[in-house]
Amino acid sequence: MAEDSCTHAGQTLRDMDHDRFLATLVVPQTARPGITALYAFNADVAAIRERVSGPQPGEIRLQWWNDTLIGDGHGAVRQNPLADALLTTIETYALPVGTLQRLIGARRFDLYDDPMPDLETFEGYAGETASTLLQLSAMILNGGRPVEQGDAAGHLGVAQAMIGHLRAFGRVSAQGRIMLPWSILEANGVREAEIFAGQDSEGLHAALSQIAELAGSHLAKAQTAIATLPASLRPAFAITAVLEQQVLAWQRHAAGAFSVPTEEASWRKIARLTWWALRNR
């Protein structure tokens, strides 16, 4: 990819998805541009709702990315540095375009205000988004050769999505959205109106604690699966080190479901990632 595109992808990722940016620092240098391009593409797609006035322009932006992937993009697509970086990565490592199209399709859910209905739907959404990035990152580390690491990517992706949405619960609910499984919230007596009003309750804490326990369970299963992988593939899963700290911090956090969690300093995250990478060589 062009050097400018690579630099732009890195800056985009640093600004829009800092934890994934930090995780790229512990992958081999040869694979870092490709993984960075993949993560920067995801960051752009994930942020579409924040940048548009409604679902329709969001759909248009998602369609632009879909057209870019299949070669139907209008104009000089390669002049877009993120598109150039992604397309170069796809060509270099023979990444499956259909997998990326499914990621785009899953992100359509983000554009609307329908609540996440149940755990099964949430796990499917996480699988097509967070787990997909882990799977493709491992493929890049494997030089473009397919790898069998479904359990590691599957469980870690679900854990990452759950922990992310637990931490973002207050911000997302203020937008009139419920991204965690509504069936779990409803089973604990939580009502939509209470969530959108920012009203804490015992039922809400119970529901979110159950989701945190599920995230911890998926994280533990991911760690077991990662340990069975070839050492050369494990750096794709280094974000585990950050997620471990985040779920523990959330469980110890007593300021309320809607409060913004304290963000650990980047240098501490880098230290965790580096130590994890050294232990998993």
Side-chain angles (χ1 to χ4, degrees):
M1 69 187 74
E3 185 176 347
D4 288 348
S5 296
C6 184
T7 300
H8 183 82
Q11 190 59 54
T12 297
L13 184 61
R14 186 184 190 118
D15 293 343
M16 299 178 69
D17 192 343
H18 198 62
D19 284 355
R20 282 194 174 97
F21 168 76
L22 295 178
T24 66
L25 301 180
V26 299
V27 302
Q29 191 169 356
T30 54
R32 195 174 301 157
I35 293 175
T36 297
L38 180 67
Y39 286 176
F41 153 74
N42 175 72
D44 183 85
V45 171
I48 286 175
R49 179 184 170 118
E50 310 289 336
R51 304 198 306 263
V52 297
S53 58
Q56 186 173 359
E59 292 275 10
I60 291 170
R61 180 62 180 171
L62 287 176
Q63 188 61 48
W64 183 89
W65 271 117
N66 190 75
D67 290 345
T68 295
L69 289 175
I70 61 177
D72 289 341
H74 300 290
V77 170
R78 290 277 190 171
Q79 291 183 7
N80 180 307
L82 284 186
D84 179 55
L86 179 65
L87 292 173
T88 300
T89 300
I90 291 171
E91 294 161 1
T92 302
Y93 297 100
L95 300 185
V97 169
T99 301
L100 292 170
Q101 287 180 294
R102 288 193 295 275
L103 184 152
I104 291 170
R107 285 293 181 184
R108 286 196 165 88
F109 185 89
D110 300 355
L111 303 178
Y112 299 90
D113 293 336
D114 299 326
M116 183 67 68
D118 50 42
L119 181 59
E120 182 179 4
T121 305
F122 182 91
E123 289 178 341
Y125 170 88
E128 298 289 9
T129 53
S131 296
T132 285
L133 295 177
L134 295 164
Q135 290 167 354
L136 295 180
S137 296
M139 187 173 172
I140 290 172
L141 288 177
N142 206 37
R145 298 179 298 275
V147 292
E148 295 293 335
Q149 76 312 320
D151 285 348
H155 286 300
L156 189 57
V158 173
Q160 187 173 17
M162 282 183 171
I163 294 166
H165 281 293
L166 281 168
R167 289 168 53 81
F169 185 77
R171 177 177 59 80
V172 172
S173 62
Q175 299 171 349
R177 293 195 294 159
I178 298 173
M179 290 295 293
L180 291 169
W182 172 244
S183 59
I184 296 177
L185 294 161
E186 187 177 38
N188 283 275
V190 180
R191 295 182 299 175
E192 281 191 8
E194 295 173 344
I195 292 175
F196 297 149
Q199 181 178 336
D200 259 323
S201 68
E202 290 185 8
L204 179 59
H205 280 279
L208 297 182
S209 294
Q210 288 173 20
I211 294 169
E213 288 178 8
L214 285 170
S217 176
H218 278 289
L219 197 53
K221 291 175 182 176
Q223 290 168 323
T224 299
I226 292 166
T228 69
L229 295 174
S232 61
L233 301 184
R234 292 176 196 163
F237 305 93
I239 194 71
T240 302
V242 174
L243 297 175
E244 288 173 338
Q245 185 277 330
Q246 288 179 340
V247 73
L248 286 174
W250 188 93
Q251 290 169 328
R252 295 168 181 163
H253 187 58
F258 299 93
S259 62
V260 179
T262 302
E263 194 67 54
E264 190 174 44
S266 292
W267 71 266
R268 288 187 179 275
K269 291 181 180 179
I270 292 170
R272 291 183 189 279
L273 289 161
T274 302
W275 178 237
W276 189 95
L278 288 172
R279 287 188 294 114
N280 284 275
R281 287 195 299 185

